[in-house]
Amino acid sequence: MFGIKASQHVLMVWSSPVNAEELQTFVGDLKSTVGDEGKVAVENADMLTSSNHTASSFDHVLVGVLPPFTFQCPVDLLGEVLRTLKPKGSLTMRTTDAASTQSNLKLGGFTSVSEPRNANLTDEQKRDVTVPVFEVTCLKPDFEVGSSMKLSFAKPAAKAPANTWNIDLNDDDVDLADPDDLLTEEDLIRPDPTSLKVCGTTGKRKACKNCVCGLKEELDAEDMKNKEATKKDFKSSCGSCYLGDAFRCASCPYLGMPAFKPGEKVKLEEKTLQDST
């Protein structure tokens, strides 16, 4: 009977509608097959996940083996069946939808899923069905859920070369450089504390959009100072700076200033710096 042997533990999962007398007779046949040392548990499919069966406690599970063979076992229910099966334990299902059953079994983690074959029904069962009934068997993998093993192709950890240099720091014959001799004069100059100020939001020396800590004003002042220094040392590459903005390039430091004579020192009057309003 479904490859079940004496002393095995079997779980029988049924679903409504099912004939109560036929179910009782079938369970009695199972108990006779496994004998006194075996065990037969019967569960409704809707109650299986809440039944709390011990993990890896059954040798064989039967699902939907009684008419009308229309029960479609979902993947989550198959996961509970997989948990209760022993490693290499078997599952047998009967169904009218073989393709869907095969797919669900593979997704549920079962291996050795067989090709659907015509179920060996009794003459009475054949009279009650109008469509073909298929039987599919599969196995639980030969390991527990969550187990691990070493890969056969894993490379061993690399060992340190045997011929490595070992330096004894207590050896008087070893001349070590003085760390202070490695410092240059620039390394010994204390940095300006103002140049170390960073924005509390960006964490960099760059002001954020809504700066209120004063870093933006400080950076603007430094930028203006650098521009003034650039103007002093500026040498025109085009020679047209004195002609006015129409002849100046986009990076010309004289942008916005009036035209002047070549070589003339540019000075702006005080009144040009005042707001006319």
Side-chain angles (χ1 to χ4, degrees):
M1 176 183 279
F2 298 103
I4 298 173
K5 302 177 182 178
S7 303
Q8 286 189 332
H9 290 196
V10 180
L11 174 62
M12 161 68 179
V13 181
W14 62 276
S15 62
S16 299
V18 69
N19 186 286
E21 293 182 0
E22 186 175 6
L23 175 61
Q24 186 175 2
T25 302
F26 184 80
V27 172
D29 293 340
L30 286 177
K31 290 182 178 180
S32 299
T33 303
V34 300
D36 295 336
E37 296 181 0
K39 174 184 176 182
V40 176
V42 182
E43 288 289 351
N44 184 283
D46 296 332
M47 302 299 296
L48 180 61
T49 55
S50 59
S51 59
N52 295 324
H53 286 288
T54 306
S56 303
S57 57
F58 294 104
D59 300 288
H60 203 115
V61 176
L62 304 175
V63 178
V65 294
L66 294 179
F69 310 113
T70 56
F71 176 64
Q72 297 296 325
C73 194
V75 176
D76 57 342
L77 186 62
L78 289 175
E80 179 63 16
V81 172
L82 186 72
R83 187 188 69 85
T84 59
L85 269 175
K86 296 179 181 179
K88 299 189 72 173
S90 58
L91 166 64
T92 300
M93 293 184 62
R94 285 180 175 177
T95 179
T96 55
D97 188 354
S100 177
T101 299
Q102 278 189 302
S103 176
N104 287 345
L105 288 172
K106 294 175 181 179
L107 292 175
F110 290 90
T111 60
S112 302
V113 180
S114 69
E115 290 296 325
R117 58 179 178 272
N118 291 326
N120 185 19
L121 305 181
T122 64
D123 293 337
E124 185 178 353
Q125 289 175 341
K126 291 179 180 178
R127 288 195 298 267
D128 296 335
V129 297
T130 57
V131 293
V133 178
F134 301 96
E135 185 173 297
V136 181
T137 60
C138 56
L139 299 176
K140 177 178 178 177
D142 191 15
F143 54 82
E144 291 291 355
V145 176
S147 60
S148 61
M149 63 179 297
K150 293 183 178 180
L151 300 176
S152 59
F153 55 83
K155 296 182 180 179
K159 297 181 179 179
N163 299 327
T164 56
W165 289 8
N166 294 321
I167 300 178
D168 185 3
L169 299 180
N170 297 321
D171 189 353
D172 296 335
D173 295 334
V174 178
D175 295 331
L176 299 178
D178 188 351
D180 294 336
D181 295 340
L182 302 177
L183 299 176
T184 63
E185 294 183 358
E186 295 181 356
D187 295 330
L188 300 176
I189 299 176
R190 184 186 297 274
D192 185 1
T194 59
S195 65
L196 303 178
K197 183 177 179 181
V198 297
C199 177
T201 302
T202 63
K204 302 177 181 179
R205 191 164 172 76
K206 180 180 179 181
C208 59
K209 184 177 181 180
N210 300 318
C211 179
V212 294
C213 65
L215 180 60
K216 184 177 185 304
E217 290 76 8
E218 183 178 332
L219 295 177
D220 289 344
E222 291 180 2
D223 188 49
M224 184 61 69
K225 184 178 179 180
N226 293 335
K227 287 183 178 180
E228 292 296 335
T230 303
K231 288 181 180 180
K232 292 181 180 179
D233 301 332
F234 178 76
K235 292 183 179 179
S236 176
S237 59
C238 62
S240 303
C241 299
Y242 69 94
L243 296 176
D245 285 350
F247 301 90
R248 294 169 183 162
C249 56
S251 60
C252 182
Y254 294 108
L255 280 175
M257 294 185 179
F260 54 88
K261 295 180 180 180
E264 178 185 3
K265 186 176 182 180
V266 179
K267 293 183 180 181
L268 297 178
E269 297 181 0
E270 186 67 23
K271 63 180 181 180
T272 62
L273 301 177
Q274 295 178 354
D275 189 353
S276 59
T277 61

mmCIF file of all heavy atoms in Angstrom, residues 139 181 213 224 253-254:
data_model
loop_
_atom_site.group_PDB
_atom_site.id
_atom_site.type_symbol
_atom_site.label_atom_id
_atom_site.label_comp_id
_atom_site.label_asym_id
_atom_site.label_seq_id
_atom_site.Cartn_x
_atom_site.Cartn_y
_atom_site.Cartn_z
ATOM 1 N N LEU A 139 10.342 12.915 -2.612
ATOM 2 C CA LEU A 139 11.107 12.666 -1.395
ATOM 3 C C LEU A 139 11.540 13.971 -0.746
ATOM 4 O O LEU A 139 11.690 15.000 -1.418
ATOM 5 C CB LEU A 139 12.359 11.840 -1.710
ATOM 6 C CG LEU A 139 12.165 10.446 -2.321
ATOM 7 C CD1 LEU A 139 13.520 9.837 -2.643
ATOM 8 C CD2 LEU A 139 11.378 9.548 -1.379
ATOM 9 N N ASP A 181 62.951 62.416 11.962
ATOM 10 C CA ASP A 181 63.729 62.790 10.789
ATOM 11 C C ASP A 181 62.895 62.710 9.511
ATOM 12 O O ASP A 181 63.302 63.258 8.475
ATOM 13 C CB ASP A 181 64.956 61.881 10.655
ATOM 14 C CG ASP A 181 65.933 62.071 11.822
ATOM 15 O OD1 ASP A 181 65.847 63.131 12.484
ATOM 16 O OD2 ASP A 181 66.738 61.150 12.084
ATOM 17 N N CYS A 213 25.862 79.075 10.558
ATOM 18 C CA CYS A 213 26.995 79.022 11.479
ATOM 19 C C CYS A 213 28.092 80.013 11.104
ATOM 20 O O CYS A 213 29.091 80.129 11.825
ATOM 21 C CB CYS A 213 27.570 77.607 11.521
ATOM 22 S SG CYS A 213 28.297 77.048 9.961
ATOM 23 N N MET A 224 36.739 86.051 -2.064
ATOM 24 C CA MET A 224 36.989 87.421 -2.502
ATOM 25 C C MET A 224 38.468 87.779 -2.378
ATOM 26 O O MET A 224 39.042 88.451 -3.242
ATOM 27 C CB MET A 224 36.139 88.382 -1.661
ATOM 28 C CG MET A 224 36.237 89.840 -2.092
ATOM 29 S SD MET A 224 35.679 90.093 -3.814
ATOM 30 C CE MET A 224 33.925 89.766 -3.613
ATOM 31 N N PRO A 253 38.731 88.801 -14.726
ATOM 32 C CA PRO A 253 38.493 89.404 -13.406
ATOM 33 C C PRO A 253 37.999 90.843 -13.496
ATOM 34 O O PRO A 253 37.566 91.414 -12.502
ATOM 35 C CB PRO A 253 39.855 89.312 -12.724
ATOM 36 C CG PRO A 253 40.835 89.281 -13.836
ATOM 37 C CD PRO A 253 40.173 88.552 -14.953
ATOM 38 N N TYR A 254 38.076 91.462 -14.693
ATOM 39 C CA TYR A 254 37.651 92.857 -14.848
ATOM 40 C C TYR A 254 36.196 92.967 -15.284
ATOM 41 O O TYR A 254 35.745 94.069 -15.621
ATOM 42 C CB TYR A 254 38.553 93.568 -15.868
ATOM 43 C CG TYR A 254 39.987 93.705 -15.403
ATOM 44 C CD1 TYR A 254 40.990 92.932 -15.975
ATOM 45 C CD2 TYR A 254 40.319 94.611 -14.398
ATOM 46 C CE1 TYR A 254 42.298 93.029 -15.558
ATOM 47 C CE2 TYR A 254 41.637 94.716 -13.974
ATOM 48 C CZ TYR A 254 42.621 93.937 -14.540
ATOM 49 O OH TYR A 254 43.906 94.043 -14.112
#
